[in-house]
Amino acid sequence: AAELEYESVLCVKPDVNVYRIPPRTSNRGYRASDWKLDNPDWTGRLRVTSKGKTAYIKLEDKVSGELFAQAPIDQYPGIAVETVADSSRYFVIRIQDGTGRSAFIGIGFTDRGDAFDFNVSLQDHFKWVKQETEISKESQEADTRPKLDLGFKEGQTIKLNIGNMTSKKGGAAKPRVSGSGGLSLLPPPPGGKIAVPPIPPPSSTAIANHVTPPPVQKSNNASSADILLDLDAPAAASKAPVSSTTDLWGDFSTASSAVPNQAPQQSNWVQF
């Protein structure tokens, strides 16, 4: 994992002053006023980098880029980087060499904005480190927890109950809601057909009272009323000439009143 980590640059400041500081005599902290601020011991470039969870403060030469000193930081704020009590532009860092020796030196920036950027770059890096630690811890706890088995067992079934739906196929149909401006029609009653009243059969009395009209003698001056009454000889009636002045319909009232006085005669009509 250490081989896959790469180094990223967090902050670069072209001007930084380095001071030799006296040993701290009390727990009240460092004070920049105790240093020789007008006569720095070294001047160069500061570069803040990170590799994995560790940050590095590197003091390099402005021209050649040769490394002058390096301070690894595992925690911020901490003993590796401390602020002074009387200024926001000066810090105390702990530098280390490859042999394990360490020393405390003071650094300072001419511009207050450079000091602010230096401080924020370290804060952002270790905020990210804290989040990564919490995420990895939660993932480890999730792996140790018993996993829920949400799968179906053999032969296990589920039943879904969906509202507003009929389970039987023969359910009553709902009336449709008519659109705007239309007529709303109610559905027919379930399984119903409009019953048509039965037609009564003809009675035997009405059949008996039926009178068959008697045959009428054929004549050349037959009227239209005789033609309508003579149903036995349609051919003879059609051959008789009809006068244009004769009434086409005749006097139906006279013909109907004369029928009951005559005796009924046998005809080709069949009585039911």
Side-chain angles (χ1 to χ4, degrees):
E3 295 178 356
L4 297 176
E5 293 176 351
Y6 60 91
E7 187 178 24
S8 60
V9 178
L10 304 179
C11 179
V12 176
K13 294 302 174 183
D15 295 320
V16 63
N17 298 323
V18 177
Y19 303 94
R20 288 182 181 180
I21 61 175
R24 185 167 53 180
T25 57
S26 64
N27 293 330
R28 64 187 178 93
Y30 295 99
R31 294 179 63 88
S33 60
D34 298 338
W35 308 342
K36 298 178 182 180
L37 300 179
D38 296 337
N39 188 18
D41 296 299
W42 185 84
T43 301
R45 178 182 68 188
L46 180 141
R47 192 159 59 98
V48 181
T49 62
S50 65
K51 189 175 183 180
K53 296 182 179 181
T54 306
Y56 297 89
I57 299 175
K58 295 183 178 182
L59 302 175
E60 301 172 346
D61 186 82
K62 290 183 179 180
V63 179
S64 63
E66 184 181 356
L67 181 64
F68 172 74
Q70 175 177 279
I73 305 171
D74 298 330
Q75 179 180 334
Y76 184 78
I79 193 174
V81 179
E82 297 182 47
T83 60
V84 298
D86 57 348
S87 178
S88 61
R89 295 186 293 115
Y90 297 92
F91 302 86
V92 176
I93 63 174
R94 183 183 64 182
I95 59 175
Q96 292 179 350
D97 59 4
T99 60
R101 295 181 300 176
S102 62
F104 291 92
I105 62 174
I107 61 174
F109 301 94
T110 305
D111 189 0
R112 195 176 302 273
D114 293 343
F116 177 79
D117 295 341
F118 169 75
N119 189 19
V120 169
S121 63
L122 292 175
Q123 289 179 355
D124 291 344
H125 171 72
F126 286 98
K127 187 183 295 183
W128 171 81
V129 171
K130 183 179 180 181
Q131 293 176 353
E132 287 292 321
T133 305
E134 292 177 355
I135 293 173
S136 61
K137 184 178 180 180
E138 291 177 358
S139 62
Q140 290 176 359
E141 292 178 355
D143 295 338
T144 56
R145 294 173 186 171
K147 297 181 179 180
L148 289 175
D149 187 10
L150 301 178
F152 284 98
K153 305 299 186 294
E154 184 177 358
Q156 185 179 3
T157 59
I158 60 173
K159 182 178 180 181
L160 298 178
N161 186 10
I162 302 175
N164 298 329
M165 293 184 66
T166 56
S167 58
K168 297 182 179 180
K169 295 183 179 180
K174 295 183 178 180
R176 291 186 178 181
V177 179
S178 61
S180 58
L183 296 177
S184 58
L185 301 178
L186 295 176
K193 294 183 180 180
I194 299 174
V196 180
I199 301 175
S203 61
S204 59
T205 307
I207 297 176
N209 293 334
H210 178 73
V211 179
T212 303
V216 182
Q217 294 181 0
K218 301 175 184 179
S219 61
N220 295 331
N221 296 327
S223 63
S224 299
D226 298 335
I227 297 175
L228 294 175
L229 294 176
D230 190 6
L231 299 178
D232 293 335
S238 61
K239 293 180 181 181
V242 180
S243 175
S244 59
T245 58
T246 307
D247 187 4
L248 296 177
W249 296 100
D251 191 358
F252 284 94
S253 59
T254 305
S256 59
S257 60
V259 170
N261 297 327
Q262 297 179 1
Q265 298 181 4
Q266 188 178 359
S267 63
N268 295 329
W269 284 41
V270 180
Q271 295 183 359
F272 293 90

